[in-house]
Amino acid sequence: WTSSNPAVLSIDPSSGLASAKIPGTVTITATSETKSATVSLTVVPGPPAKIVLFSGNNQSVAAGAPVPNPLAVLVTDAGNNPISGVAVTFAVTAGGGTILGGAATSNAAGIATSGIWTLGTAAGPNSVTVTSPAIAGVSAVFNAAGGAGPPTKIAGFAGNNQTATAGGLVATKPSVIVTDANANPVAGFSVTFAPAGGSGSVTGGTAVTDAAGIATVGSWRLGTTVGPQSLNATGSGLTGSPVLFNATAVAPVASNLAGFAGNNQTAKPNFGVATLPSVIITDTAGIPVAGVPVTFAVVSGGGSITGGSALSNSSGIATVGSWILGSTPGPNSLTASSGTLTGSPFTFNATAVPAPPTTIGLAAGDGQTAIAGKPVPIAPTIKVTDADGVGVANISVTFAIRSGGGSITGANAVTNSLGIASVGSWILGLGGNSLTASVPGLNGNPVVFTAVGFADVQIVTFGDSNTDLGFAGTDGVAKVGSYVSSINPAIRLAPDAPNNALQLAAKVESRWKANRPTKSIKAVNHGIAGTSTGGGRTFVNAPNALTQVGGVSRFQGEVLGVAYPWNGGEGTNNFYPNGSILRVQAFVPRAVDFAYISMGTNDIGDGTPVSTIKANLETMIDLWIQAGNPPDHLFITTLPPRITGTTDNPRILELNAMIRAFATKGVRVIDLAALTFSADGTTWMSPTLHVTGDELHYAESVRDMLADAIVSIMLQLTPP
C-alpha cells in the first residue's frame, strides 16, 4: 500500500494502517505481485473543537479609549485544522468597556474578527471573552491594559495649613496629585515647588509624580519671619495650577547650647587656632535661634581672645572673634556660656604644640668690625624657625670660635619665644675672624658670622715673591710663604697664623712695636706674582692683581677688602691642593691704615710691555685713592735688577722711572736705587744683597731696609 501524499494521509508499511493528517485528496495504490489497483480518497476536517487567540491580545491604551487593533480568533478541529462558518461571540468580561460587532463567523481560514473594543474609563486591566455555541465549554480571553490618559488636573494632596517654627521644617512635606480627564493618577509628570518671597526655602523643588500620581517636595524650611508663609506647586498647563500651600511660622524659643565647630584643635604657642570656636543655639525641636547673646572666656592656658561677646546669627551660630593660645606648650581651654540654656557653658579644648625646628639662620651681627681685643658692637644672633618661618623657642644653640683667635662668652644659649638666641659677647682677634652658631640637623647649620679685628694701625703688603717669601740671610731656600702664596704649599702659613720673622710683614710689625709699644699693629701679607702676568692668572692658576672673580679684582679683594671675604677662585692643583682660598685676613682700610705695593719684576720677565705694567700699577693707585684712602698711606717701590747682563734690565730702568713719577699722585715711592749701580739697576751693588745662586730674590737685609723705610714713614704719619 502507498499514498500519493503522505502529508495528507500516511500508511504504516508493516500494518497497512492508514492515518489521515490534514484535509486534502490522495490516491491510494495497492500492489500484489504483478497486479495493482488505485482508489481516490478525500480527508475532510473534523467538527469544531478549539477557539484560539489569533491577534489583538495584550494591547495598552489610555483608559476609555478604543484599542488600535481588532480582536481575532482561529476556530479549528481537534487536529488544529481551520474550520469556517462557525459562529462566535465577543463579550466584555472585565474593565467595564464596550465592544461593537460582538457576533462573528469564522471565514475560510477559520478566523473570526470582532468590531471596535473600547476600554473602561478606570485605569487598570480589561478583558473580552470569546465563546461559540458550537463548541461547548471552550472559550478564549483577550486582555488589555487601560492606562492613565494625558494629565489634565493638579490638586493638593497633603501638607497644607501647617504650623512650624520660623526657620524650621514643616512636619508634613507638601504634596500634590496629578490626574487625567477620568481622574486616573498620572505618573512621571514634573511639578515645581517654590516658596513665596520671605517664605523660606525648599529642597527637591522639582519633583516627579509617582505611580499614584503624587509629587512631594523634598523639604520646606520656613523663613525666619514670624507669620503666614506660602508655597506654590506648579504643574504647567494643568487645571488647578498652581496649588497653594499655607503655613504659619511661630517664633522659636532658645533651649539648647551646643558646640558647633573649633573644638579639640592644636596650634603653635602664641598663635591663633585655625577654626574659630563657635556654638549653635536651638529650640527644643533643634531649630536654630537667632539673636541669643553668648559669652566666650579663656579659662586655662593663658591665651587671649577677641570678640568675647557674640550674638547667634540667623543659623543660630555664635562665634568668637579669635583665640590665641598661650605661650607655654600644653592644654588650653575656652568656655561659651548663655544663661541657663541646656549645655551651657560649653568648653572648647586646644593644645599648644610647638612645631619642630627646621632651619637656623642669621638674624644679626654678621660682617662687623672692631678693634682687636674688643667685643663687636652687636652680639651675633641667630633665629631658629619651623617650616612656616615661625620662631621656635627653647632650642639649644652652641656658639664657637671658628677662626681669628678671638674669644666668646655665653657660648651656650637657648632660643626665646621668638626663636632668637645670641652669644654673650665676641671679642675679636687681629684680622679676619669667624664664629659659628650650631643646631645639628637643621637646614642652614651651622650659621657662620664673619668679622674683622682691626689693630690700631694696619698695613697690607701686596707684593711678589720678594715680599711674600721669607729667606734667611742669603740662603736661597725660602722658609715661609703667605697663606695665599703660589709657592710650595708645604711652607705656606695657615690663614690665621702670625707672620714669620723672615717676612717683610713681620719685620714691619716688629719695628712698629719697638717704636710704638702702646699702639697695636697688624700687617697682612698677600703674596702675588704680578700685575698681569700670564694674561690674568699665573701658570699655577693664581689670579694677578687686576684679575676679577665675581666682578671684584684681586687688588680690590685683598687690599681694599671689597666683597670680604673675597674668593680668589684658584683651581685645585699641586700648588693649591684644597682649591680656592678665601681672603679671610683682608680688611677695609681706614684713614689710619696703610698699603704696600711691590711688583713688576715678573711682568718684565713675562714680556709684558712696560707701558702696560705702568698702567696696571697706576690703576691700583687710583683705586686706593678713589676708595677715600690717604694717598700718602700707600707705598710703592722701584724694582731691583732681574739678572745681571740680561736684556730685561733696561726695561727695569724704564719702569723704575715711571714708578718714581707716581710720587706726583701723593703716594710714597721707596726707591731701591741705593742698592744698585750702573744707571739705576742693571746689576746688584753686591752679591750679598740677593740670595745665593738666585739674583731674582732679595737677601734678608733688603727686607730689613724696606721695613725700616716703611715704618719710618708710618711713624711720621701716625700720631703717638
Side-chain angles (χ1 to χ4, degrees), residues 614 617-622 624-626 630-632 634 660-669:
K614 182 259 186 184
L617 292 170
E618 188 168 19
T619 295
M620 289 183 265
I621 294 170
D622 291 341
W624 173 268
I625 296 172
Q626 290 165 10
D632 60 356
L634 178 64
R660 292 188 187 98
F662 289 147
T664 60
K665 289 181 173 286
V667 301
R668 294 302 185 103
V669 176

mmCIF file with all atom_site columns, all heavy atoms in Angstrom, residues 614 617-622 624-626 630-632 634 660-669:
data_model
loop_
_atom_site.group_PDB
_atom_site.id
_atom_site.type_symbol
_atom_site.label_atom_id
_atom_site.label_alt_id
_atom_site.label_comp_id
_atom_site.label_asym_id
_atom_site.label_entity_id
_atom_site.label_seq_id
_atom_site.pdbx_PDB_ins_code
_atom_site.Cartn_x
_atom_site.Cartn_y
_atom_site.Cartn_z
_atom_site.occupancy
_atom_site.B_iso_or_equiv
_atom_site.pdbx_formal_charge
_atom_site.auth_seq_id
_atom_site.auth_comp_id
_atom_site.auth_asym_id
_atom_site.auth_atom_id
_atom_site.pdbx_PDB_model_num
ATOM 1   N N   . LYS A 1 614 ? 103.034 99.796  33.848 1.00 0.00 ? 614 LYS A N   1
ATOM 2   C CA  . LYS A 1 614 ? 102.828 101.120 34.442 1.00 0.00 ? 614 LYS A CA  1
ATOM 3   C C   . LYS A 1 614 ? 101.347 101.421 34.587 1.00 0.00 ? 614 LYS A C   1
ATOM 4   O O   . LYS A 1 614 ? 100.873 101.903 35.638 1.00 0.00 ? 614 LYS A O   1
ATOM 5   C CB  . LYS A 1 614 ? 103.526 102.165 33.580 1.00 0.00 ? 614 LYS A CB  1
ATOM 6   C CG  . LYS A 1 614 ? 103.420 103.586 34.117 1.00 0.00 ? 614 LYS A CG  1
ATOM 7   C CD  . LYS A 1 614 ? 102.364 104.423 33.405 1.00 0.00 ? 614 LYS A CD  1
ATOM 8   C CE  . LYS A 1 614 ? 102.376 105.871 33.847 1.00 0.00 ? 614 LYS A CE  1
ATOM 9   N NZ  . LYS A 1 614 ? 101.318 106.675 33.241 1.00 0.00 ? 614 LYS A NZ  1
ATOM 10  N N   . LEU A 1 617 ? 99.841  99.368  37.504 1.00 0.00 ? 617 LEU A N   1
ATOM 11  C CA  . LEU A 1 617 ? 100.206 99.928  38.804 1.00 0.00 ? 617 LEU A CA  1
ATOM 12  C C   . LEU A 1 617 ? 99.432  101.212 39.084 1.00 0.00 ? 617 LEU A C   1
ATOM 13  O O   . LEU A 1 617 ? 98.958  101.445 40.208 1.00 0.00 ? 617 LEU A O   1
ATOM 14  C CB  . LEU A 1 617 ? 101.710 100.194 38.858 1.00 0.00 ? 617 LEU A CB  1
ATOM 15  C CG  . LEU A 1 617 ? 102.622 98.953  38.864 1.00 0.00 ? 617 LEU A CG  1
ATOM 16  C CD1 . LEU A 1 617 ? 104.081 99.350  38.666 1.00 0.00 ? 617 LEU A CD1 1
ATOM 17  C CD2 . LEU A 1 617 ? 102.447 98.165  40.156 1.00 0.00 ? 617 LEU A CD2 1
ATOM 18  N N   . GLU A 1 618 ? 99.273  102.028 38.062 1.00 0.00 ? 618 GLU A N   1
ATOM 19  C CA  . GLU A 1 618 ? 98.550  103.292 38.248 1.00 0.00 ? 618 GLU A CA  1
ATOM 20  C C   . GLU A 1 618 ? 97.076  103.038 38.545 1.00 0.00 ? 618 GLU A C   1
ATOM 21  O O   . GLU A 1 618 ? 96.457  103.760 39.341 1.00 0.00 ? 618 GLU A O   1
ATOM 22  C CB  . GLU A 1 618 ? 98.712  104.170 37.009 1.00 0.00 ? 618 GLU A CB  1
ATOM 23  C CG  . GLU A 1 618 ? 98.156  105.585 37.199 1.00 0.00 ? 618 GLU A CG  1
ATOM 24  C CD  . GLU A 1 618 ? 98.576  106.525 36.088 1.00 0.00 ? 618 GLU A CD  1
ATOM 25  O OE1 . GLU A 1 618 ? 98.970  106.033 35.002 1.00 0.00 ? 618 GLU A OE1 1
ATOM 26  O OE2 . GLU A 1 618 ? 98.520  107.740 36.298 1.00 0.00 ? 618 GLU A OE2 1
ATOM 27  N N   . THR A 1 619 ? 96.507  102.001 37.922 1.00 0.00 ? 619 THR A N   1
ATOM 28  C CA  . THR A 1 619 ? 95.113  101.641 38.220 1.00 0.00 ? 619 THR A CA  1
ATOM 29  C C   . THR A 1 619 ? 94.950  101.308 39.693 1.00 0.00 ? 619 THR A C   1
ATOM 30  O O   . THR A 1 619 ? 93.979  101.728 40.346 1.00 0.00 ? 619 THR A O   1
ATOM 31  C CB  . THR A 1 619 ? 94.676  100.444 37.359 1.00 0.00 ? 619 THR A CB  1
ATOM 32  O OG1 . THR A 1 619 ? 94.684  100.825 35.987 1.00 0.00 ? 619 THR A OG1 1
ATOM 33  C CG2 . THR A 1 619 ? 93.268  99.964  37.744 1.00 0.00 ? 619 THR A CG2 1
ATOM 34  N N   . MET A 1 620 ? 95.907  100.558 40.256 1.00 0.00 ? 620 MET A N   1
ATOM 35  C CA  . MET A 1 620 ? 95.812  100.208 41.673 1.00 0.00 ? 620 MET A CA  1
ATOM 36  C C   . MET A 1 620 ? 95.918  101.443 42.561 1.00 0.00 ? 620 MET A C   1
ATOM 37  O O   . MET A 1 620 ? 95.187  101.584 43.552 1.00 0.00 ? 620 MET A O   1
ATOM 38  C CB  . MET A 1 620 ? 96.894  99.181  42.014 1.00 0.00 ? 620 MET A CB  1
ATOM 39  C CG  . MET A 1 620 ? 96.629  97.793  41.426 1.00 0.00 ? 620 MET A CG  1
ATOM 40  S SD  . MET A 1 620 ? 97.880  96.585  41.919 1.00 0.00 ? 620 MET A SD  1
ATOM 41  C CE  . MET A 1 620 ? 98.981  96.666  40.514 1.00 0.00 ? 620 MET A CE  1
ATOM 42  N N   . ILE A 1 621 ? 96.831  102.365 42.183 1.00 0.00 ? 621 ILE A N   1
ATOM 43  C CA  . ILE A 1 621 ? 96.960  103.611 42.947 1.00 0.00 ? 621 ILE A CA  1
ATOM 44  C C   . ILE A 1 621 ? 95.651  104.387 42.915 1.00 0.00 ? 621 ILE A C   1
ATOM 45  O O   . ILE A 1 621 ? 95.166  104.882 43.944 1.00 0.00 ? 621 ILE A O   1
ATOM 46  C CB  . ILE A 1 621 ? 98.127  104.453 42.392 1.00 0.00 ? 621 ILE A CB  1
ATOM 47  C CG1 . ILE A 1 621 ? 99.460  103.740 42.638 1.00 0.00 ? 621 ILE A CG1 1
ATOM 48  C CG2 . ILE A 1 621 ? 98.124  105.854 43.008 1.00 0.00 ? 621 ILE A CG2 1
ATOM 49  C CD1 . ILE A 1 621 ? 100.638 104.375 41.920 1.00 0.00 ? 621 ILE A CD1 1
ATOM 50  N N   . ASP A 1 622 ? 95.054  104.473 41.725 1.00 0.00 ? 622 ASP A N   1
ATOM 51  C CA  . ASP A 1 622 ? 93.801  105.225 41.582 1.00 0.00 ? 622 ASP A CA  1
ATOM 52  C C   . ASP A 1 622 ? 92.668  104.576 42.375 1.00 0.00 ? 622 ASP A C   1
ATOM 53  O O   . ASP A 1 622 ? 91.839  105.265 42.979 1.00 0.00 ? 622 ASP A O   1
ATOM 54  C CB  . ASP A 1 622 ? 93.425  105.334 40.109 1.00 0.00 ? 622 ASP A CB  1
ATOM 55  C CG  . ASP A 1 622 ? 94.389  106.230 39.322 1.00 0.00 ? 622 ASP A CG  1
ATOM 56  O OD1 . ASP A 1 622 ? 95.101  107.034 39.966 1.00 0.00 ? 622 ASP A OD1 1
ATOM 57  O OD2 . ASP A 1 622 ? 94.410  106.112 38.080 1.00 0.00 ? 622 ASP A OD2 1
ATOM 58  N N   . TRP A 1 624 ? 92.954  102.879 45.114 1.00 0.00 ? 624 TRP A N   1
ATOM 59  C CA  . TRP A 1 624 ? 93.194  103.210 46.532 1.00 0.00 ? 624 TRP A CA  1
ATOM 60  C C   . TRP A 1 624 ? 92.665  104.603 46.862 1.00 0.00 ? 624 TRP A C   1
ATOM 61  O O   . TRP A 1 624 ? 91.958  104.801 47.848 1.00 0.00 ? 624 TRP A O   1
ATOM 62  C CB  . TRP A 1 624 ? 94.696  103.122 46.820 1.00 0.00 ? 624 TRP A CB  1
ATOM 63  C CG  . TRP A 1 624 ? 95.092  103.604 48.191 1.00 0.00 ? 624 TRP A CG  1
ATOM 64  C CD1 . TRP A 1 624 ? 95.475  104.875 48.530 1.00 0.00 ? 624 TRP A CD1 1
ATOM 65  C CD2 . TRP A 1 624 ? 95.146  102.844 49.399 1.00 0.00 ? 624 TRP A CD2 1
ATOM 66  N NE1 . TRP A 1 624 ? 95.768  104.964 49.860 1.00 0.00 ? 624 TRP A NE1 1
ATOM 67  C CE2 . TRP A 1 624 ? 95.571  103.724 50.432 1.00 0.00 ? 624 TRP A CE2 1
ATOM 68  C CE3 . TRP A 1 624 ? 94.910  101.512 49.721 1.00 0.00 ? 624 TRP A CE3 1
ATOM 69  C CZ2 . TRP A 1 624 ? 95.750  103.315 51.747 1.00 0.00 ? 624 TRP A CZ2 1
ATOM 70  C CZ3 . TRP A 1 624 ? 95.080  101.095 51.031 1.00 0.00 ? 624 TRP A CZ3 1
ATOM 71  C CH2 . TRP A 1 624 ? 95.484  101.987 52.030 1.00 0.00 ? 624 TRP A CH2 1
ATOM 72  N N   . ILE A 1 625 ? 93.004  105.569 46.006 1.00 0.00 ? 625 ILE A N   1
ATOM 73  C CA  . ILE A 1 625 ? 92.597  106.957 46.264 1.00 0.00 ? 625 ILE A CA  1
ATOM 74  C C   . ILE A 1 625 ? 91.088  107.117 46.103 1.00 0.00 ? 625 ILE A C   1
ATOM 75  O O   . ILE A 1 625 ? 90.424  107.792 46.909 1.00 0.00 ? 625 ILE A O   1
ATOM 76  C CB  . ILE A 1 625 ? 93.370  107.912 45.324 1.00 0.00 ? 625 ILE A CB  1
ATOM 77  C CG1 . ILE A 1 625 ? 94.881  107.844 45.635 1.00 0.00 ? 625 ILE A CG1 1
ATOM 78  C CG2 . ILE A 1 625 ? 92.848  109.340 45.456 1.00 0.00 ? 625 ILE A CG2 1
ATOM 79  C CD1 . ILE A 1 625 ? 95.748  108.587 44.638 1.00 0.00 ? 625 ILE A CD1 1
ATOM 80  N N   . GLN A 1 626 ? 90.501  106.472 45.067 1.00 0.00 ? 626 GLN A N   1
ATOM 81  C CA  . GLN A 1 626 ? 89.056  106.576 44.843 1.00 0.00 ? 626 GLN A CA  1
ATOM 82  C C   . GLN A 1 626 ? 88.257  105.988 45.997 1.00 0.00 ? 626 GLN A C   1
ATOM 83  O O   . GLN A 1 626 ? 87.111  106.386 46.235 1.00 0.00 ? 626 GLN A O   1
ATOM 84  C CB  . GLN A 1 626 ? 88.675  105.873 43.537 1.00 0.00 ? 626 GLN A CB  1
ATOM 85  C CG  . GLN A 1 626 ? 89.163  106.590 42.288 1.00 0.00 ? 626 GLN A CG  1
ATOM 86  C CD  . GLN A 1 626 ? 89.096  105.725 41.039 1.00 0.00 ? 626 GLN A CD  1
ATOM 87  O OE1 . GLN A 1 626 ? 88.506  104.634 41.062 1.00 0.00 ? 626 GLN A OE1 1
ATOM 88  N NE2 . GLN A 1 626 ? 89.705  106.192 39.956 1.00 0.00 ? 626 GLN A NE2 1
ATOM 89  N N   . PRO A 1 630 ? 93.964  107.931 52.197 1.00 0.00 ? 630 PRO A N   1
ATOM 90  C CA  . PRO A 1 630 ? 95.002  108.955 52.008 1.00 0.00 ? 630 PRO A CA  1
ATOM 91  C C   . PRO A 1 630 ? 96.072  108.470 51.036 1.00 0.00 ? 630 PRO A C   1
ATOM 92  O O   . PRO A 1 630 ? 96.621  107.366 51.214 1.00 0.00 ? 630 PRO A O   1
ATOM 93  C CB  . PRO A 1 630 ? 95.585  109.135 53.412 1.00 0.00 ? 630 PRO A CB  1
ATOM 94  C CG  . PRO A 1 630 ? 94.545  108.601 54.344 1.00 0.00 ? 630 PRO A CG  1
ATOM 95  C CD  . PRO A 1 630 ? 93.860  107.502 53.597 1.00 0.00 ? 630 PRO A CD  1
ATOM 96  N N   . PRO A 1 631 ? 96.426  109.257 49.995 1.00 0.00 ? 631 PRO A N   1
ATOM 97  C CA  . PRO A 1 631 ? 97.445  108.810 49.041 1.00 0.00 ? 631 PRO A CA  1
ATOM 98  C C   . PRO A 1 631 ? 98.779  108.518 49.708 1.00 0.00 ? 631 PRO A C   1
ATOM 99  O O   . PRO A 1 631 ? 99.477  107.565 49.320 1.00 0.00 ? 631 PRO A O   1
ATOM 100 C CB  . PRO A 1 631 ? 97.547  109.982 48.061 1.00 0.00 ? 631 PRO A CB  1
ATOM 101 C CG  . PRO A 1 631 ? 96.227  110.683 48.170 1.00 0.00 ? 631 PRO A CG  1
ATOM 102 C CD  . PRO A 1 631 ? 95.815  110.546 49.598 1.00 0.00 ? 631 PRO A CD  1
ATOM 103 N N   . ASP A 1 632 ? 99.153  109.339 50.744 1.00 0.00 ? 632 ASP A N   1
ATOM 104 C CA  . ASP A 1 632 ? 100.469 109.144 51.337 1.00 0.00 ? 632 ASP A CA  1
ATOM 105 C C   . ASP A 1 632 ? 100.531 107.939 52.271 1.00 0.00 ? 632 ASP A C   1
ATOM 106 O O   . ASP A 1 632 ? 101.576 107.667 52.875 1.00 0.00 ? 632 ASP A O   1
ATOM 107 C CB  . ASP A 1 632 ? 100.935 110.407 52.066 1.00 0.00 ? 632 ASP A CB  1
ATOM 108 C CG  . ASP A 1 632 ? 99.997  110.822 53.189 1.00 0.00 ? 632 ASP A CG  1
ATOM 109 O OD1 . ASP A 1 632 ? 98.945  110.166 53.357 1.00 0.00 ? 632 ASP A OD1 1
ATOM 110 O OD2 . ASP A 1 632 ? 100.299 111.819 53.889 1.00 0.00 ? 632 ASP A OD2 1
ATOM 111 N N   . LEU A 1 634 ? 99.903  104.997 50.984 1.00 0.00 ? 634 LEU A N   1
ATOM 112 C CA  . LEU A 1 634 ? 100.175 103.923 50.030 1.00 0.00 ? 634 LEU A CA  1
ATOM 113 C C   . LEU A 1 634 ? 101.649 103.992 49.639 1.00 0.00 ? 634 LEU A C   1
ATOM 114 O O   . LEU A 1 634 ? 102.139 105.036 49.179 1.00 0.00 ? 634 LEU A O   1
ATOM 115 C CB  . LEU A 1 634 ? 99.292  104.070 48.786 1.00 0.00 ? 634 LEU A CB  1
ATOM 116 C CG  . LEU A 1 634 ? 99.515  103.038 47.688 1.00 0.00 ? 634 LEU A CG  1
ATOM 117 C CD1 . LEU A 1 634 ? 99.149  101.638 48.174 1.00 0.00 ? 634 LEU A CD1 1
ATOM 118 C CD2 . LEU A 1 634 ? 98.690  103.397 46.439 1.00 0.00 ? 634 LEU A CD2 1
ATOM 119 N N   . ARG A 1 660 ? 108.789 106.160 39.813 1.00 0.00 ? 660 ARG A N   1
ATOM 120 C CA  . ARG A 1 660 ? 109.139 107.367 40.557 1.00 0.00 ? 660 ARG A CA  1
ATOM 121 C C   . ARG A 1 660 ? 108.161 108.499 40.274 1.00 0.00 ? 660 ARG A C   1
ATOM 122 O O   . ARG A 1 660 ? 107.861 109.319 41.156 1.00 0.00 ? 660 ARG A O   1
ATOM 123 C CB  . ARG A 1 660 ? 110.565 107.790 40.200 1.00 0.00 ? 660 ARG A CB  1
ATOM 124 C CG  . ARG A 1 660 ? 111.631 106.829 40.690 1.00 0.00 ? 660 ARG A CG  1
ATOM 125 C CD  . ARG A 1 660 ? 113.031 107.394 40.472 1.00 0.00 ? 660 ARG A CD  1
ATOM 126 N NE  . ARG A 1 660 ? 114.035 106.399 40.797 1.00 0.00 ? 660 ARG A NE  1
ATOM 127 C CZ  . ARG A 1 660 ? 114.648 105.623 39.918 1.00 0.00 ? 660 ARG A CZ  1
ATOM 128 N NH1 . ARG A 1 660 ? 114.339 105.722 38.622 1.00 0.00 ? 660 ARG A NH1 1
ATOM 129 N NH2 . ARG A 1 660 ? 115.542 104.745 40.321 1.00 0.00 ? 660 ARG A NH2 1
ATOM 130 N N   . ALA A 1 661 ? 107.654 108.535 39.038 1.00 0.00 ? 661 ALA A N   1
ATOM 131 C CA  . ALA A 1 661 ? 106.730 109.611 38.658 1.00 0.00 ? 661 ALA A CA  1
ATOM 132 C C   . ALA A 1 661 ? 105.401 109.519 39.395 1.00 0.00 ? 661 ALA A C   1
ATOM 133 O O   . ALA A 1 661 ? 104.648 110.493 39.459 1.00 0.00 ? 661 ALA A O   1
ATOM 134 C CB  . ALA A 1 661 ? 106.493 109.582 37.153 1.00 0.00 ? 661 ALA A CB  1
ATOM 135 N N   . PHE A 1 662 ? 105.099 108.331 39.985 1.00 0.00 ? 662 PHE A N   1
ATOM 136 C CA  . PHE A 1 662 ? 103.841 108.192 40.727 1.00 0.00 ? 662 PHE A CA  1
ATOM 137 C C   . PHE A 1 662 ? 103.816 109.074 41.976 1.00 0.00 ? 662 PHE A C   1
ATOM 138 O O   . PHE A 1 662 ? 102.765 109.291 42.581 1.00 0.00 ? 662 PHE A O   1
ATOM 139 C CB  . PHE A 1 662 ? 103.618 106.737 41.144 1.00 0.00 ? 662 PHE A CB  1
ATOM 140 C CG  . PHE A 1 662 ? 103.288 105.815 40.001 1.00 0.00 ? 662 PHE A CG  1
ATOM 141 C CD1 . PHE A 1 662 ? 103.693 104.488 40.014 1.00 0.00 ? 662 PHE A CD1 1
ATOM 142 C CD2 . PHE A 1 662 ? 102.566 106.275 38.899 1.00 0.00 ? 662 PHE A CD2 1
ATOM 143 C CE1 . PHE A 1 662 ? 103.389 103.631 38.977 1.00 0.00 ? 662 PHE A CE1 1
ATOM 144 C CE2 . PHE A 1 662 ? 102.261 105.419 37.855 1.00 0.00 ? 662 PHE A CE2 1
ATOM 145 C CZ  . PHE A 1 662 ? 102.676 104.095 37.884 1.00 0.00 ? 662 PHE A CZ  1
ATOM 146 N N   . ALA A 1 663 ? 104.987 109.565 42.383 1.00 0.00 ? 663 ALA A N   1
ATOM 147 C CA  . ALA A 1 663 ? 105.023 110.443 43.557 1.00 0.00 ? 663 ALA A CA  1
ATOM 148 C C   . ALA A 1 663 ? 104.159 111.679 43.350 1.00 0.00 ? 663 ALA A C   1
ATOM 149 O O   . ALA A 1 663 ? 103.681 112.284 44.329 1.00 0.00 ? 663 ALA A O   1
ATOM 150 C CB  . ALA A 1 663 ? 106.465 110.841 43.871 1.00 0.00 ? 663 ALA A CB  1
ATOM 151 N N   . THR A 1 664 ? 103.932 112.052 42.095 1.00 0.00 ? 664 THR A N   1
ATOM 152 C CA  . THR A 1 664 ? 103.085 113.230 41.833 1.00 0.00 ? 664 THR A CA  1
ATOM 153 C C   . THR A 1 664 ? 101.641 112.982 42.243 1.00 0.00 ? 664 THR A C   1
ATOM 154 O O   . THR A 1 664 ? 100.870 113.936 42.383 1.00 0.00 ? 664 THR A O   1
ATOM 155 C CB  . THR A 1 664 ? 103.146 113.595 40.340 1.00 0.00 ? 664 THR A CB  1
ATOM 156 O OG1 . THR A 1 664 ? 102.662 112.481 39.560 1.00 0.00 ? 664 THR A OG1 1
ATOM 157 C CG2 . THR A 1 664 ? 104.575 113.927 39.922 1.00 0.00 ? 664 THR A CG2 1
ATOM 158 N N   . LYS A 1 665 ? 101.235 111.727 42.434 1.00 0.00 ? 665 LYS A N   1
ATOM 159 C CA  . LYS A 1 665 ? 99.889  111.415 42.882 1.00 0.00 ? 665 LYS A CA  1
ATOM 160 C C   . LYS A 1 665 ? 99.776  111.465 44.401 1.00 0.00 ? 665 LYS A C   1
ATOM 161 O O   . LYS A 1 665 ? 98.702  111.219 44.963 1.00 0.00 ? 665 LYS A O   1
ATOM 162 C CB  . LYS A 1 665 ? 99.462  110.025 42.389 1.00 0.00 ? 665 LYS A CB  1
ATOM 163 C CG  . LYS A 1 665 ? 99.196  109.955 40.891 1.00 0.00 ? 665 LYS A CG  1
ATOM 164 C CD  . LYS A 1 665 ? 98.767  108.556 40.481 1.00 0.00 ? 665 LYS A CD  1
ATOM 165 C CE  . LYS A 1 665 ? 98.327  108.511 39.030 1.00 0.00 ? 665 LYS A CE  1
ATOM 166 N NZ  . LYS A 1 665 ? 97.009  109.137 38.816 1.00 0.00 ? 665 LYS A NZ  1
ATOM 167 N N   . GLY A 1 666 ? 100.902 111.735 45.071 1.00 0.00 ? 666 GLY A N   1
ATOM 168 C CA  . GLY A 1 666 ? 100.879 111.833 46.526 1.00 0.00 ? 666 GLY A CA  1
ATOM 169 C C   . GLY A 1 666 ? 101.252 110.559 47.237 1.00 0.00 ? 666 GLY A C   1
ATOM 170 O O   . GLY A 1 666 ? 101.282 110.529 48.477 1.00 0.00 ? 666 GLY A O   1
ATOM 171 N N   . VAL A 1 667 ? 101.506 109.462 46.487 1.00 0.00 ? 667 VAL A N   1
ATOM 172 C CA  . VAL A 1 667 ? 101.866 108.208 47.137 1.00 0.00 ? 667 VAL A CA  1
ATOM 173 C C   . VAL A 1 667 ? 103.346 108.249 47.522 1.00 0.00 ? 667 VAL A C   1
ATOM 174 O O   . VAL A 1 667 ? 104.127 109.072 47.019 1.00 0.00 ? 667 VAL A O   1
ATOM 175 C CB  . VAL A 1 667 ? 101.582 107.000 46.223 1.00 0.00 ? 667 VAL A CB  1
ATOM 176 C CG1 . VAL A 1 667 ? 100.119 106.959 45.845 1.00 0.00 ? 667 VAL A CG1 1
ATOM 177 C CG2 . VAL A 1 667 ? 102.452 107.037 44.964 1.00 0.00 ? 667 VAL A CG2 1
ATOM 178 N N   . ARG A 1 668 ? 103.761 107.363 48.451 1.00 0.00 ? 668 ARG A N   1
ATOM 179 C CA  . ARG A 1 668 ? 105.147 107.315 48.895 1.00 0.00 ? 668 ARG A CA  1
ATOM 180 C C   . ARG A 1 668 ? 105.918 106.281 48.063 1.00 0.00 ? 668 ARG A C   1
ATOM 181 O O   . ARG A 1 668 ? 105.613 105.081 48.106 1.00 0.00 ? 668 ARG A O   1
ATOM 182 C CB  . ARG A 1 668 ? 105.208 106.945 50.367 1.00 0.00 ? 668 ARG A CB  1
ATOM 183 C CG  . ARG A 1 668 ? 104.602 107.987 51.291 1.00 0.00 ? 668 ARG A CG  1
ATOM 184 C CD  . ARG A 1 668 ? 105.283 109.354 51.145 1.00 0.00 ? 668 ARG A CD  1
ATOM 185 N NE  . ARG A 1 668 ? 104.781 110.306 52.118 1.00 0.00 ? 668 ARG A NE  1
ATOM 186 C CZ  . ARG A 1 668 ? 105.432 110.655 53.220 1.00 0.00 ? 668 ARG A CZ  1
ATOM 187 N NH1 . ARG A 1 668 ? 106.603 110.112 53.488 1.00 0.00 ? 668 ARG A NH1 1
ATOM 188 N NH2 . ARG A 1 668 ? 104.906 111.535 54.052 1.00 0.00 ? 668 ARG A NH2 1
ATOM 189 N N   . VAL A 1 669 ? 106.923 106.759 47.294 1.00 0.00 ? 669 VAL A N   1
ATOM 190 C CA  . VAL A 1 669 ? 107.766 105.877 46.491 1.00 0.00 ? 669 VAL A CA  1
ATOM 191 C C   . VAL A 1 669 ? 109.026 105.562 47.290 1.00 0.00 ? 669 VAL A C   1
ATOM 192 O O   . VAL A 1 669 ? 109.734 106.464 47.753 1.00 0.00 ? 669 VAL A O   1
ATOM 193 C CB  . VAL A 1 669 ? 108.129 106.527 45.145 1.00 0.00 ? 669 VAL A CB  1
ATOM 194 C CG1 . VAL A 1 669 ? 109.087 105.614 44.365 1.00 0.00 ? 669 VAL A CG1 1
ATOM 195 C CG2 . VAL A 1 669 ? 106.878 106.827 44.341 1.00 0.00 ? 669 VAL A CG2 1
#
